[in-house]
Amino acid sequence: MGNGAEDADLPVGSSPPPPLEWKFSQVFGERAAGEEVQEVDIISAIEFDKSGDHLATGDRGGRVVLFERTDVRNLGSRKDLEAQDYPISRHPEFRYKTEFQSHEPEFDYLKSLEIEEKINKIKWCQAANHVLFLLSTNDKTIKYWKVQEKKVKKISEMNVDASQAVQNDNIASSSTIGPRGYLPNGGCPERPHDHLNNDLPMPPGGFPSLRLPVVTSQETSLIARCRRTYAHAHDYHINSISNNSDGETFISADDLRINLWNLEISNQSFNIVDVKPANMEDLTEVITSAEFHPTHCNMLAYSSSKGSIRLIDLRQSALCDNHSKIFEEHEAPGSRSFFTEIIASISDVKFAKDGRHILSRDYMTLKLWDINMESGPVATFQVHEYLRPKLCDLYENDSIFDKFDCCLSGDGLHVATGSYSNLFRVFGCIPGSNEATTLEASKNPMRRQVQTPSRPAKSLGSLARVVRRGAESPGVEANGNSYDFTTKLLHLAWHPTESSIACAAMNSLYMYSA
C-alpha cells in the first residue's frame, strides 16, 4: 500500500473513497470475432517502465513489442505543464513504437531438450540520454537490450540548382565528366576551358547557384541491439528476473536457485539462494517468483510452491540459506485435502512502491503482507473461491496450475489480478473499503459487472486482517454462463503513477483507465 497500512487508515467517522470507475481506453491487436489466434502471437509478459511513459510486451514467438506514451509527449514535459497549470490528461494514451525478435527457438544438445523462444519476463532498466534499456528472458537465456533512435542521413540539396541548369533534365549527368582522363590539376583534356561538358555551358563569371550538397537527417529509425547475453547459468526454467535499485545488478530465479548478475558482466553470476537438496527425492518445495526490494539494494523476497514468502538480506552471507523473515499463513486444522498444496503455491509476488508491503497471488486468493508482521497477511482478497467445488475438474484439465500475475497501484491503495473468461479483478486496500470490481478484457469492461451488496464499512485497526470477496456468484459468471477456462487473463500491469491497467487477452493488449 502506497503509504503503508497505518497511513491508509481513515479519520474516524469518514467513509472510504468511492470505487474507481473503469473505462476502456485502448486496444492493440484486437482480433475479429471467430479469428483464430496463432500460438506465437499470444502475449506472455507485460511491463511498464518506471516513468510509465513506455510499455513492453513479450509474446510466445520470442518478440518484444514496445509502446510509448503520446498524450504527455505531444504537449511538452510534465514539469513544464505543471508549471503552467496545464490540465494533464488523466488517461494515458500509447502508440506502437517498435518491435524486435528477442529470442529464437534453440536446442540443448546436451540434454536433448528444445528451448522455446517464449518470453517469460521483461524488466526495464534505467534509461539514459533517451536510450531505452531492458532485460528479457526465455526459459534459459537472459538478454540485455539497448533501443535507440538513429537518424537516417539524406542529401536534401544537390550542388547545382535545377532551375539554373540549361536545357538539361538530368543534373547527375550534367555535373559529371565523362570517362576521360583527368589532368593533375583537376582539369579535363581535349575540352574547352569554358565548358564543364557539352550539356552545361559555363556562364561568364561562373555559376552563381553552385553550392555544397546539404545533408539532413529528418527520418529516425529505432534500432534494437543486444548488448549482453547471460546464458548457461540455470539448469531449470527461469521464472523471474528483477532489477536491483542500485542500477547495476539484477537477479534471475529458476525452480531451485537464484543468481545475482552484474549488468556489465555476462560470463559469471553468483548463486545467492540454492534450495536444491542433496537427494532430489527429498525435494518438497520450489521457488516460484523472486523480486528485489524497490529501495533497499540488499533485500529481496522470493516465494515458494508451499505458499510461503521469504525475505533475505544479502549482507548476512554470500549464500543466503537462511532467511531473515518468512511470511506464511497456516491452514486451519482439518481443512487439508489433496489440492491444498497445489492451490497454496504462489505464482507471483510484488513489492509495493514504498517497500513496506508485499502482494502475493496464489490460485485462490490475493494476499497483502506487511513486512513487519510475519504472523499472517493484513488483507486477503478472494478471487477464485467459487472454483473450490470444481478443483477436481481443474486438476484434470491442468488449469489448477495456471500462474496468474498480480499488481499494485502506484499509490498502493488498489490491487489487481486476472481470472478466467478474460476477466480481471480490482480490489481496494484501504481499511473499511468494500471495493471489489470485476472487469472483462473487452471494449465494454463493465459488461459482466455484478453489483456487490454494500456492507457497512467496518472500523479496522491498522493491522486488522480483512477478507474481501470479489463480485462473484458460485459456479457461474456474472451473466449466468459457465466460466471459460480456455480464455484466461494471466498477465497484467498497473501504470506506476496513474489509475491505468494494461492486460493481455490472448494476442490483444487492452488498456483501461479510471
Side-chain angles (χ1 to χ4, degrees):
M1 291 161 64
N3 306 315
E6 293 172 30
D7 302 335
D9 279 350
L10 298 161
V12 178
S14 71
S15 58
L20 295 174
E21 288 183 24
W22 291 95
K23 290 184 175 66
F24 168 78
S25 177
Q26 283 175 286
V27 60
F28 295 96
E30 186 183 21
R31 64 182 188 279
E35 184 188 339
E36 198 175 323
V37 178
Q38 299 295 317
E39 175 86 8
V40 292
D41 294 332
I42 295 173
I43 297 171
S44 55
I46 298 183
E47 191 78 14
F48 280 104
D49 73 344
K50 215 174 229 176
S51 67
D53 291 342
H54 291 93
L55 173 67
T57 65
D59 63 24
R60 292 189 185 179
R63 289 171 302 228
V64 171
V65 183
L66 304 185
F67 300 89
E68 67 179 345
R69 188 167 177 177
T70 56
D71 55 321
V72 171
R73 191 171 174 173
N74 293 344
L75 295 166
S77 79
R78 181 176 288 263
K79 227 174 202 172
D80 298 341
L81 296 177
E82 283 169 357
Q84 299 165 18
D85 263 357
Y86 194 96
I88 295 171
S89 162
R90 284 190 59 233
H91 307 314
E93 282 180 23
F94 285 80
R95 72 173 174 207
Y96 169 86
K97 187 178 175 81
T98 188
E99 68 180 85
F100 55 91
Q101 188 71 34
S102 172
H103 288 71
E104 301 277 359
E106 297 172 61
F107 191 80
D108 185 337
Y109 291 98
L110 207 60
K111 297 182 178 177
S112 295
L113 280 175
E114 279 186 27
I115 303 166
E116 59 179 356
E117 66 272 39
K118 178 188 145 206
I119 305 292
N120 289 345
K121 288 284 187 254
I122 296 172
K123 291 288 175 187
W124 289 91
C125 303
Q126 217 158 345
N129 302 326
H130 303 292
V131 180
L132 303 174
F133 296 94
L134 51 104
L135 289 165
S136 62
T137 184
N138 66 353
D139 285 338
K140 295 287 182 180
T141 307
I142 306 154
K143 292 186 179 180
Y144 184 40
W145 290 92
K146 175 183 183 179
V147 182
Q148 67 183 131
E149 287 186 350
K150 288 269 185 170
K151 290 186 174 171
V152 180
K153 293 191 167 81
K154 285 188 174 179
I155 296 174
S156 67
E157 293 177 34
M158 294 298 285
N159 60 342
V160 177
D161 191 343
S163 62
Q164 298 290 326
V166 181
Q167 297 175 341
N168 179 42
D169 295 331
N170 191 342
I171 293 173
S173 66
S174 68
S175 58
T176 56
I177 295 172
R180 303 186 184 191
Y182 288 91
L183 295 177
N185 63 357
C188 185
E190 303 170 21
R191 195 169 274 234
H193 289 291
D194 60 340
H195 279 73
L196 278 173
N197 61 16
N198 296 332
D199 298 332
L200 196 64
M202 175 74 80
F207 274 108
S209 62
L210 193 66
R211 55 192 183 277
L212 289 172
V214 177
V215 177
T216 56
S217 49
Q218 293 163 331
E219 290 179 31
T220 57
S221 67
L222 280 154
I223 295 172
R225 194 166 62 85
C226 182
R227 287 196 62 204
R228 302 260 187 287
T229 299
Y230 313 90
H232 313 303
H234 287 278
D235 290 331
Y236 305 93
H237 289 180
I238 298 170
N239 55 46
S240 44
I241 50 176
S242 178
N243 307 72
N244 197 344
S245 57
D246 63 10
E248 294 178 5
T249 55
F250 70 94
I251 51 166
S252 57
D254 66 22
D255 292 345
L256 298 179
R257 292 192 177 98
I258 299 175
N259 292 334
L260 178 70
W261 301 83
N262 187 301
L263 280 167
E264 299 302 319
I265 302 166
S266 58
N267 60 357
Q268 70 171 22
S269 63
F270 298 97
N271 179 223
I272 53 173
V273 175
D274 189 349
V275 299
K276 186 178 181 179
N279 182 359
M280 282 297 275
E281 287 178 8
D282 299 333
L283 184 69
T284 58
E285 64 181 328
V286 294
I287 298 165
T288 56
S289 180
E291 183 165 87
F292 260 120
H293 190 282
T295 52
H296 298 321
C297 60
N298 56 290
M299 283 173 67
L300 64 99
Y302 71 90
S303 60
S304 84
S305 57
K306 275 194 166 176
S308 60
I309 301 167
R310 290 174 174 84
L311 199 65
I312 59 172
D313 191 333
L314 298 177
R315 296 172 299 186
Q316 285 182 341
S317 65
L319 186 64
C320 302
D321 286 332
N322 299 316
H323 51 266
S324 49
K325 288 186 178 182
I326 184 166
F327 307 95
E328 55 189 347
E329 193 170 29
H330 299 287
E331 63 200 54
S335 64
R336 192 169 178 80
S337 73
F338 172 74
F339 304 110
T340 302
E341 258 188 44
I342 300 173
I343 61 174
S345 177
I346 293 173
S347 57
D348 193 22
V349 286
K350 292 274 188 345
F351 271 101
K353 208 173 182 179
D354 65 350
R356 169 77 187 270
H357 292 84
I358 298 173
L359 181 68
S360 68
R361 170 72 153 100
D362 56 45
Y363 190 70
M364 289 300 202
T365 63
L366 266 178
K367 291 189 175 92
L368 190 67
W369 306 81
D370 186 321
I371 63 169
N372 296 332
M373 189 176 114
E374 294 174 69
S375 55
V378 291
T380 299
F381 308 98
Q382 299 290 356
V383 182
H384 280 165
E385 190 56 35
Y386 63 90
L387 291 176
R388 204 172 280 278
K390 297 181 180 240
L391 291 178
C392 265
D393 300 339
L394 294 164
Y395 181 75
E396 290 292 322
N397 64 20
D398 282 348
S399 293
I400 201 166
F401 301 107
D402 287 336
K403 292 177 173 21
F404 292 91
D405 288 354
C406 61
C407 57
L408 295 106
S409 60
D411 58 12
L413 302 181
H414 293 86
V415 295
T417 191
S419 181
Y420 294 106
S421 301
N422 279 346
L423 299 178
F424 63 100
R425 299 220 157 94
V426 180
F427 299 93
C429 298
I430 303 172
S433 165
N434 289 322
E435 184 175 351
T437 312
T438 302
L439 301 135
E440 182 188 31
S442 69
K443 285 188 172 178
N444 182 8
M446 308 303 281
R447 188 161 68 103
R448 308 195 188 192
Q449 184 60 26
V450 173
Q451 291 303 315
T452 43
S454 57
R455 296 189 293 275
K458 295 171 187 168
S459 169
L460 294 164
S462 59
L463 295 177
R465 294 184 202 160
V466 51
V467 175
R468 201 138 329 126
R469 297 182 184 278
E472 61 198 13
S473 46
V476 292
E477 63 189 2
N479 60 6
N481 299 333
S482 58
Y483 273 88
D484 179 3
F485 296 115
T486 58
T487 53
K488 42 196 137 186
L489 199 150
L490 301 175
H491 309 289
L492 78 175
W494 200 301
H495 191 280
T497 57
E498 302 184 31
S499 293
S500 178
I501 288 179
C503 55
M506 300 293 276
N507 65 329
S508 304
L509 176 69
Y510 285 92
M511 306 195 73
Y512 301 93
S513 296

